[in-house]
Amino acid sequence: MDLEAVAETVEGSARKISAVCEGSSILEPCVGMEFESEDSAKHFYDEYARREGFIVRLDRCHRSEVDNRITSRRFSCNKQGFYVRGRNGARLVHKPRASIREGCEAMLLIKVNKCGKWVVTKFVKEHSHPLHASSSPSYTMMDSKDRKIQQLTKELQHRDLQCQQYRRLLLSLLETVDEQTELLSRKVELVVNRVKQLENEEQKPLDTH
């Protein structure tokens, strides 16, 4: 990888950092985000969904054929898909009820990489239905001090998530730069040694016998 490729890698990492920074109050998912586990990724998406105003549904997963471990997981909006009917149009439930399915395609897809990290590989933000940000039923009963504490707590949680993302992205960037620096150093050393070899060959006295 040459200097141009290194520059592209740096630019890509910068774009990821920029994506993390989008929005002052809500940390939005973006492709490339890493999590320590599937649970931590779900917790993050649950918090995002709560702030945006929708409910997360645990969707399909893919398992390894070797040890049956889950290698990818999709989290969807609970309005994803459509209501399923049985044969001849019969409902699959005993009591009739209104369907909440509206064919919404909003989702978050994560996959585990070689290092054991769970990485966001696809994120669909748009919903096919109105969003209603949830709030605590007793929120209106809180006094101004309680509301301020709640706001500050949410802000601290948001900042903490931001710091975690900054750290992962910067460490990844530094690792890439270190690798490319070492590679370039080896190439420079090879060129210098070759030049010295050529100079020594030119300085050897000619054999007159």
Side-chain angles (χ1 to χ4, degrees):
M1 188 181 294
D2 55 17
L3 290 174
E4 183 178 354
V6 174
E8 291 178 356
T9 301
V10 173
E11 184 179 353
S13 296
R15 285 196 297 268
K16 290 181 180 180
I17 293 175
S18 176
V20 171
C21 294
E22 286 185 0
S24 58
S25 60
I26 297 177
L27 184 61
E28 184 174 287
C30 66
V31 173
M33 273 187 173
E34 292 184 354
F35 299 92
E36 295 297 324
S37 65
E38 179 186 344
D39 287 339
S40 61
K42 184 178 185 303
H43 176 72
F44 167 80
Y45 197 49
D46 280 338
E47 285 297 307
Y48 170 76
R50 182 179 61 80
R51 293 170 183 170
E52 287 289 287
F54 67 97
I55 299 174
V56 175
R57 183 166 71 89
L58 200 63
D59 207 340
R60 68 186 64 174
C61 69
H62 183 271
R63 293 181 178 272
S64 168
E65 297 180 355
V66 177
D67 54 12
N68 203 38
R69 288 187 304 109
I70 295 177
T71 57
S72 69
R73 169 70 73 181
R74 187 169 77 176
F75 304 112
S76 301
C77 172
N78 71 329
K79 295 182 182 294
Q80 180 265 346
F82 294 94
Y83 190 62
V84 179
R85 294 177 178 270
R87 293 182 179 179
N88 299 324
R91 293 180 181 270
L92 296 180
V93 293
H94 296 293
K95 295 181 180 180
R97 60 182 180 181
S99 172
I100 62 171
R101 301 294 184 87
E102 298 184 11
C104 182
E105 297 183 356
M107 54 83 77
L108 183 76
L109 180 64
I110 57 172
K111 294 183 179 180
V112 64
N113 62 17
K114 295 181 180 179
C115 300
K117 304 288 187 181
W118 289 82
V119 184
V120 176
T121 58
K122 186 176 181 179
F123 170 57
V124 178
K125 178 180 179 180
E126 291 74 18
H127 293 258
S128 61
H129 54 90
L131 300 178
H132 304 285
S134 61
S135 61
S136 171
S138 60
Y139 185 81
T140 55
M141 303 297 293
M142 293 181 180
D143 57 27
S144 59
K145 182 184 295 184
D146 291 334
R147 289 198 296 270
K148 187 64 176 179
I149 291 175
Q150 187 180 69
Q151 292 171 358
L152 290 174
T153 300
K154 290 181 179 179
E155 183 66 19
L156 286 173
Q157 292 174 346
H158 165 64
R159 296 301 179 187
D160 182 58
L161 287 172
Q162 274 190 326
C163 289
Q164 292 179 25
Q165 292 301 321
Y166 292 152
R167 184 175 183 276
R168 293 191 188 101
L169 292 171
L170 289 174
L171 286 176
S172 176
L173 174 60
L174 290 174
E175 182 179 352
T176 300
V177 171
D178 287 341
E179 290 176 355
Q180 299 310 313
T181 300
E182 183 179 354
L183 179 61
L184 290 174
S185 296
R186 288 200 297 267
K187 289 183 177 180
V188 170
E189 184 178 358
L190 289 174
V191 171
V192 172
N193 290 338
R194 181 56 179 165
V195 171
K196 289 182 179 180
Q197 182 181 357
L198 292 174
E199 290 177 348
N200 291 334
E201 290 177 356
E202 291 179 355
Q203 293 175 0
K204 287 182 180 180
L206 296 175
D207 188 1
T208 57
H209 298 285

